[in-house]
């Protein structure tokens, strides 16, 4: 006796999304399918030709990190389906993940004086460096590329507000591949009291 699933049942499979990325991995998560016995995950570089990268994913699992031969800066499409008692659901709509550095977080002022502001931020793993920028004349301008998670910006004017942001990058074949920029930090030099 053969059994097939109705279109309504097939349509009720998991929904997949990208949770986070690094220069060498994409972490995915999906909605739990209460009727699933297991899950099956596929990957594609063009959203046309698909390759299974993981089968038999436990029914209570809702997250998976793909780090199998990924290229930094290249986009990958992912889709998932559930295995149920009477067969498989349809594959979910696909999502696209790109292995790039994680977004810089925690950008803040680590100290300031009359003409300088020290910027500090949280470290990002598996990267080559950071690009520090400030906003001027209607555009973002790069101040410096650094390899540490802090930088002192000098030559600033007391009483003037400045907007800063930072992005992490990974150098691949001589080209910088950037992650998402940090939230913008607005700050200014401060008048330091003399003794």
């Amino acid at each position: 006796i053969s059994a097939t699933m109705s279109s309504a049942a097939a349509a009720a499979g998991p929904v997949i999304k990208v949770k986070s990325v690094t220069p060498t991995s994409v972490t995915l998560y999906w909605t739990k399918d209460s009727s699933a016995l297991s899950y099956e995950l596929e990957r594609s570089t063009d959203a046309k030709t698909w390759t299974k990268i993981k089968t038999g994913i436990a029914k209570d699992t809702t997250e998976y990190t793909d780090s199998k031969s990924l290229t930094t800066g290249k986009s990958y499409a992912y889709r998932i389906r559930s295995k149920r008692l009477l067969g498989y659901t349809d594959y979910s709509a696909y999502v696209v993940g790109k292995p790039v550095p994680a977004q810089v977080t925690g950008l803040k002022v680590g100290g300031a004086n009359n003409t300088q502001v020290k910027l500090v931020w949280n470290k990002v793993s598996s990267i080559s460096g950071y690009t520090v920028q400030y906003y001027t004349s209607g555009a973002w301008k790069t101040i410096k590329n650094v390899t540490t998670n802090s930088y002192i910006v000098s030559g600033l004017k007391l009483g003037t507000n400045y907007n800063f942001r930072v992005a992490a990058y990974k150098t691949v074949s001589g080209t910088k591949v950037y992650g998402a920029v940090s939230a913008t930090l607005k700050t200014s030099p401060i008048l330091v009291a003399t003794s």
Side-chain angles (χ1 to χ4, degrees):
I1 298 175
S2 63
T4 58
M5 300 182 64
S6 69
S7 59
V15 176
I16 191 169
K17 295 182 180 181
V18 175
K19 181 179 182 179
S20 61
V21 295
T22 73
T24 57
S25 69
V26 174
T27 297
L28 307 155
Y29 72 102
W30 53 87
T31 55
K32 186 175 182 179
D33 179 358
S34 60
S35 299
L37 300 177
S38 63
Y39 300 100
E40 186 174 276
L41 184 65
E42 290 192 339
R43 184 179 76 192
S44 173
T45 55
D46 59 8
K48 296 178 181 179
T49 302
W50 295 88
T51 301
K52 289 180 176 62
I53 59 171
K54 187 68 175 179
T55 60
I57 301 173
K59 64 180 181 179
D60 293 327
T61 300
T62 56
E63 185 174 308
Y64 179 77
T65 297
D66 178 25
S67 57
K68 298 178 180 179
S69 303
L70 300 183
T71 300
T72 303
K74 184 175 181 178
S75 295
Y76 297 87
Y78 296 90
R79 66 183 187 180
I80 195 169
R81 67 176 179 176
S82 302
K83 182 180 180 181
R84 293 179 176 174
L85 185 62
L86 299 180
Y88 288 93
T89 63
D90 288 340
Y91 277 102
S92 65
Y94 69 82
V95 294
V96 176
K98 180 184 289 188
V100 296
Q103 181 180 24
V104 170
T105 60
L107 178 61
K108 63 183 181 180
V109 175
N113 62 25
N114 297 10
T115 61
Q116 296 179 334
V117 170
K118 182 178 182 180
L119 306 175
V120 296
W121 56 88
N122 298 328
K123 289 183 178 180
V124 177
S125 62
S126 303
I127 63 164
S128 302
Y130 306 91
T131 294
V132 181
Q133 297 183 322
Y134 80 107
Y135 194 78
T136 180
S137 302
W140 286 98
K141 180 180 179 180
T142 296
I143 304 171
K144 188 77 172 180
N145 292 323
V146 298
T147 56
T148 59
N149 61 316
S150 66
Y151 181 70
I152 297 175
V153 185
S154 58
L156 305 180
K157 294 181 179 180
L158 187 65
T160 300
N161 289 320
Y162 296 88
N163 291 310
F164 298 100
R165 69 182 189 182
V166 180
Y169 66 85
K170 178 79 172 180
T171 303
V172 181
S173 300
T175 300
K176 292 182 177 68
V177 178
Y178 289 91
V181 296
S182 68
T184 299
L185 172 67
K186 184 176 183 178
T187 187
S188 63
I190 61 173
L191 183 63
V192 178
T194 58
S195 57

